[in-house]
Amino acid sequence: MNPAPIDEVVDLLRTLRLPHMRAAAPELLATAKAQRWEPAEAMRALLTEELAGRQASSIRARRKAAGFPTGKTFDAWDETVSSIPAPTQRALRTLEWIHRHENLVACGPSGTAKTHFCEALGQAAVDAGHKVSWFSLEHLGALVRRHSADDTAAKAIRRIMRADVIVIDDIGLLPVATETAEALYRVVDAAYEKHSIALSSNLHPAGFDELMPKTIANATVDRLLHHAHIVMTAGDSIRLTQATAGKGVTPLTN
């Protein structure tokens, strides 16, 4: 195939807005000619490039929209360090609980890798095609509070519900304002049996009434725990252990 027809194919692919096929076409079509591929084989290879490119673009877009705090994945996870039983970790990593619209509650002392585990699960969910939204409890409360001023809070909740998985991080560190507690309840109620929530907390949900009004806490926990996997973390802070072992920083050089 001489250059002119290839250039024409590239122009057609540009017009049809098939960018991944267009990028692969010159080299792929030249290879097809040299190796005497069947036309259907060349077409399949081009379509495969377009599909793979679109899937990768979609994953990047979902990952950006999720708002993950650090970008931690299971690539940096050591299941032997976590106090969560290894079989439980592996079962949760299958993401079957997301398909069943079940929840995950990870609770335990600060520094026991609850946030890392939840974020890694969220990243895995994005890779598997799910939409994820990440919130700290304060961020969630502020978001709903902003929209309460002009009566658009219900719309804000509906936008949050576009996600398959809503991750709410760091409950239990500080007392929770009534408005923030109400925002948590509204999200848990809207997600109930339709979406999955992954929540990390220093307190077991049974103790949420220590942080927020008892009536709101009870209604929230009732819906949150009905279809929930509860994992308890324990032990010393992993961060503090690494720091005292000299593994918290890269050694300075002269």
Side-chain angles (χ1 to χ4, degrees):
M1 186 178 290
N2 61 52
I6 292 180
D7 291 343
E8 291 174 6
V9 169
V10 169
D11 288 341
L12 287 169
L13 293 174
R14 181 182 293 107
T15 301
L16 291 170
R17 296 182 181 179
L18 298 169
H20 309 291
M21 289 178 68
R22 174 169 56 83
E27 182 178 353
L28 194 150
L29 291 176
T31 300
K33 179 184 179 183
Q35 297 183 3
R36 299 182 178 180
W37 291 2
E38 292 291 332
E41 189 176 1
M43 180 57 70
R44 181 180 63 182
L46 282 170
L47 291 171
T48 298
E49 289 289 338
E50 185 64 29
L51 178 61
R54 290 188 182 194
Q55 288 174 335
S57 295
S58 180
I59 288 173
R60 286 194 297 271
R62 289 197 304 273
R63 182 162 283 121
K64 182 178 180 180
F68 293 117
T70 64
K72 289 180 179 177
T73 69
F74 282 117
D75 290 340
W77 178 258
D78 182 352
E79 72 173 27
T80 64
V81 173
S82 173
S83 57
I84 302 171
T88 301
Q89 294 183 46
R90 294 168 196 155
L92 290 168
R93 289 177 65 170
T94 68
L95 307 180
E96 290 182 15
W97 56 283
I98 296 175
H99 296 290
R100 295 194 293 261
H101 308 308
E102 296 169 349
N103 300 328
L104 167 65
V105 177
C107 45
S110 180
T112 50
K114 303 181 301 294
T115 296
H116 186 166
F117 189 59
C118 287
E119 181 172 0
L121 284 172
Q123 298 274 9
V126 166
D127 289 337
H130 297 289
K131 294 180 180 178
V132 179
S133 287
W134 180 284
F135 298 94
S136 69
L137 181 59
E138 289 303 313
H139 178 199
L140 179 65
L143 174 66
V144 175
R145 187 163 55 248
R146 279 200 310 272
H147 287 275
S148 296
D150 58 3
D151 294 325
T152 60
K155 291 183 180 179
I157 297 294
R158 286 197 294 272
R159 282 196 292 272
I160 293 172
M161 292 304 124
R162 293 173 184 169
D164 304 302
V165 185
I166 300 102
V167 187
I168 304 171
D169 189 36
D170 272 347
I171 296 177
L173 293 177
L174 297 169
V176 179
T178 299
E179 288 181 331
T180 302
E182 290 174 353
L184 176 62
Y185 166 75
R186 293 184 68 167
V187 169
V188 170
D189 182 55
Y192 180 64
E193 296 187 333
K194 302 183 186 72
H195 308 265
S196 291
I197 288 178
L199 182 148
S200 74
S201 172
N202 282 23
L203 282 178
H204 189 284
F208 279 6
D209 57 359
E210 300 175 20
L211 302 172
M212 61 185 75
K214 186 177 181 65
T215 302
I216 299 175
N218 288 345
T220 301
V221 171
D222 179 66
R223 289 160 177 77
L224 177 68
L225 296 189
H226 185 204
H227 305 297
H229 302 272
I230 302 176
V231 296
M232 304 288 294
T233 61
D236 297 329
S237 166
I238 295 171
R239 289 188 291 265
L240 183 58
T241 300
Q242 291 177 341
T244 55
K247 298 178 180 179
V249 295
T250 301
L252 298 174
T253 56
N254 293 332

